[in-house]
Amino acid sequence: MQTFIGIIIAILIFGLLVLIHEFGHFIFAKKFGVTVNEFSIGMGPRIFSRVAKSGTRYSIKALPIGGSCAMLGEDEDNMEEGSFNSKPRWQRFLIVFAGPLFNFLLAFVLSLIVIGFAGTDPSTVTYVEGEKPKVVVQSKGKDKSVEEKMKQQAVANAIPQTQSNAYKAGLRSGDKITKFNGAWISIGRELYVEEYTDPIGKDPITLTYERDGKKKTITYKPDKENKYLLGISYSSGASAPVISQVTKDSAMAKAGVLAKDEVEKINGTPISSGEEINKYLEEHPLDGSEVTFVLKRGSKTFTAKVKPVKTNVYSTGFAYNLQRERQGFFGTIKYSLVEMRYEVFTVLKSLKMLVTGGVSANEVSGPVGIVSVIGDTYKENSQHGFGITLLALLNLAIMLSANLGVMNLLPIPALDGGRLLIYIIEAITRKQIPKDKEGMIHFIGFIILMALMVFLVFNDIRKLIF
């Protein structure tokens, strides 16, 4: 039942994203007097169709994986009144650009809703290695509480604390990170993405933080530690013990473990959540001995025997906030814009990793994989009530809408970005590219995109089955 509901939700989300995207093209085309032959949601055969007085056919098609705003003479050398190519280049540019623009606007509106209700995660430092732990005592009686707190704080102060290089450089809890190695930072997730896409190495760290309204920039060497590693990432707060990332050439990667594999047992101990993975590894520190994992991938269960590798590990020396905090009116607007920046730059950094080999094909998802993610999001949050589930799905829709906007702006034929690139080239060279040649370029691009879509679908199915 949950799988079916997840599929329905995925169809609704995809439909909304495509509707808004095509509506962007549509409303600008109408604004500039371009005749729209058909405005449709989905691909394939029509299951519903109606022709309006304006002559535009409005359709819903069978496959909920796309949509279109078919304009008169769009890929033809047609200069008749109302045709797309009869309009000035700047109007055509805006009509094409409006699709991705409306996806960004949708992401912004959804961000206002999510942040307005759930807040966001300001990039505040929560702990710097070397600070004395702060003791909080809850007991009855004022005098007893103070006395107890003083005793426990004295014990905590007596515990030797290793001072990180960040602490020696002046960073403290409560400071707000605003720049990290040249990247602008406003929320904790931006800092997480920077560390994920460009892992901390031996190079110096430069960060800017704000304290009491004043900004300060420091540069320090990362802290170094030599320890045994498996080479995986997972969420300790997740209800399912799913591996979110496998480090390239790590012990787990060499054992054949992939991202999205689900841990069932570690050395014979049953595991049912991310927290239990964390608990087991804390109670059984890695010492180089072989670790036996029983994992589930799709419908199949397999065993992986992994020998941890001793590795130099570099760290920033501080922890930062990833918990959401409610914001005021202006804070909600500000952080909604920040959310847009975060989503856009995350897509661009992910594409860079894909091109440079930092991400494998197994970590790339197509339509089936996205439906699976939506289903998992619904499943994990439905137990917390309708409000939490809705906010989680809206948060996912923000990411997908921003992704759609960025991907459509890539300078690839058949995508909006490919058309925009042609207009820019024409404006620079002051030469018109023949429409038949432009149409052929976009057709070839469309065939390549369809081939890529088929690959992604089969890749998704392979990951689910095998």
Side-chain angles (χ1 to χ4, degrees):
M1 183 63 180
Q2 285 188 329
T3 301
F4 176 74
I5 294 175
I7 293 173
I8 296 300
I9 292 172
I11 291 174
L12 291 175
I13 291 177
F14 283 139
L16 175 64
L17 301 186
V18 173
L19 174 65
I20 295 299
H21 180 93
E22 297 302 333
F23 182 70
H25 294 312
F26 174 81
I27 197 169
F28 271 70
K30 289 289 188 179
K31 174 68 177 177
F32 294 132
V34 175
T35 300
V36 178
N37 292 330
E38 184 176 26
F39 179 76
S40 64
I41 301 299
M43 298 178 68
R46 299 186 184 101
I47 58 176
F48 172 80
S49 179
R50 185 178 70 85
V51 179
K53 291 181 180 180
S54 62
T56 300
R57 178 183 292 275
Y58 296 90
S59 306
I60 295 177
K61 298 184 177 181
L63 302 177
I65 56 173
S68 68
C69 175
M71 292 170 279
L72 178 65
E74 188 173 354
D75 289 319
E76 304 170 2
D77 194 7
N78 184 341
M79 301 299 290
E80 68 179 278
E81 181 66 26
S83 69
F84 177 76
N85 288 310
S86 68
K87 302 302 175 182
R89 186 181 293 113
W90 68 270
Q91 290 186 0
R92 284 180 280 146
F93 186 97
L94 289 177
I95 292 170
V96 173
F97 181 71
L101 173 64
F102 270 50
N103 279 127
F104 294 135
L105 290 176
L106 174 62
F108 175 70
V109 171
L110 295 180
S111 296
L112 288 172
I113 296 171
V114 172
I115 294 174
F117 281 95
T120 191
D121 50 328
S123 52
T124 306
V125 176
T126 55
Y127 176 72
V128 183
E129 189 175 343
E131 292 180 323
K132 297 294 182 181
K134 295 180 180 179
V135 175
V136 178
V137 176
Q138 294 180 346
S139 60
K140 296 180 180 179
K142 181 179 179 182
D143 293 338
K144 185 179 179 182
S145 175
V146 172
E147 183 181 352
E148 235 178 275
K149 185 173 181 178
M150 289 177 65
K151 286 181 180 179
Q152 293 188 25
Q153 188 68 63
V155 172
N157 290 340
I159 300 173
Q161 300 290 318
T162 302
Q163 293 186 347
S164 66
N165 291 330
Y167 182 88
K168 294 174 184 177
L171 190 67
R172 297 292 184 269
S173 294
D175 293 343
K176 189 171 186 292
I177 307 297
T178 58
K179 286 187 79 173
F180 181 83
N181 286 340
W184 292 102
I185 302 294
S186 293
I187 56 178
R189 282 168 294 149
E190 288 182 311
L191 194 47
Y192 175 82
V193 169
E194 289 298 322
E195 290 186 287
Y196 178 84
T197 57
D198 190 11
I200 303 299
K202 60 184 178 180
D203 295 332
I205 295 171
T206 299
L207 62 82
T208 301
Y209 63 86
E210 184 178 304
R211 182 191 302 165
D212 298 327
K214 296 181 180 180
K215 289 186 178 181
K216 184 177 180 180
T217 299
I218 57 175
T219 300
Y220 63 93
K221 291 183 178 180
D223 296 301
K224 178 182 174 183
E225 184 180 0
N226 192 252
K227 62 181 182 181
Y228 288 99
L229 295 178
L230 292 167
I232 58 170
S233 297
Y234 59 91
S235 173
S236 59
S239 59
V242 177
I243 294 172
S244 57
Q245 181 195 7
V246 179
T247 305
K248 188 178 180 181
D249 297 327
S250 66
M252 291 289 265
K254 290 177 181 177
V257 180
L258 302 175
K260 295 187 179 181
D261 285 346
E262 188 170 331
V263 179
E264 292 193 336
K265 292 181 182 179
I266 304 178
N267 284 339
T269 301
I271 301 295
S272 61
S273 67
E275 184 180 357
E276 289 189 5
I277 297 178
N278 204 51
K279 182 180 178 181
Y280 182 89
L281 294 177
E282 284 182 352
E283 294 176 352
H284 304 82
L286 300 174
D287 58 5
S289 303
E290 187 177 80
V291 182
T292 301
F293 286 83
V294 176
L295 303 115
K296 186 177 181 181
R297 181 181 302 162
S299 59
K300 293 191 175 183
T301 300
F302 65 100
T303 299
K305 295 186 176 182
V306 184
K307 191 172 180 62
V309 178
K310 204 164 191 180
T311 310
N312 287 332
V313 179
Y314 297 90
S315 67
T316 61
F318 67 90
Y320 50 89
N321 174 54
L322 286 171
Q323 299 297 315
R324 288 184 178 268
E325 302 172 9
R326 292 286 295 272
Q327 305 295 317
F329 177 78
F330 292 108
T332 297
I333 295 175
K334 170 191 170 183
Y335 280 108
S336 294
L337 292 170
V338 168
E339 191 76 21
M340 287 295 307
R341 181 183 70 187
Y342 162 73
E343 296 293 355
V344 169
F345 277 92
T346 298
V347 177
L348 294 176
K349 287 177 180 293
S350 299
L351 287 172
K352 179 182 177 182
M353 291 180 69
L354 183 61
V355 172
T356 57
V359 175
S360 68
N362 289 311
E363 297 176 88
V364 179
S365 292
V368 177
I370 295 173
V371 170
S372 178
V373 170
I374 292 173
D376 291 342
T377 300
Y378 170 76
K379 182 179 178 181
E380 289 181 11
N381 290 277
S382 58
Q383 59 187 319
H384 302 299
F386 175 78
I388 298 297
T389 304
L390 179 61
L391 289 174
L393 291 171
L394 288 178
N395 199 50
L396 188 57
I398 293 169
M399 182 269 289
L400 292 173
S401 191
N403 264 262
L404 184 59
V406 173
M407 297 301 290
N408 266 281
L409 285 177
L410 294 179
I412 298 174
L415 294 180
D416 294 330
R419 295 180 182 275
L420 296 177
L421 178 62
I422 287 176
Y423 298 151
I424 292 171
I425 292 173
E426 288 179 342
I428 293 173
T429 62
R430 296 185 179 182
K431 292 182 179 180
Q432 186 83 15
I433 296 176
K435 293 304 170 187
D436 56 340
K437 292 183 179 180
E438 181 182 342
M440 182 57 66
I441 291 172
H442 294 313
F443 177 74
I444 294 172
F446 178 77
I447 297 299
I448 294 172
L449 288 174
M450 288 299 100
L452 176 61
M453 183 67 73
V454 170
F455 165 76
L456 291 174
V457 169
F458 276 101
N459 191 48
D460 287 340
I461 295 172
R462 179 184 61 81
K463 288 188 289 184
L464 288 173
I465 297 176
F466 303 105

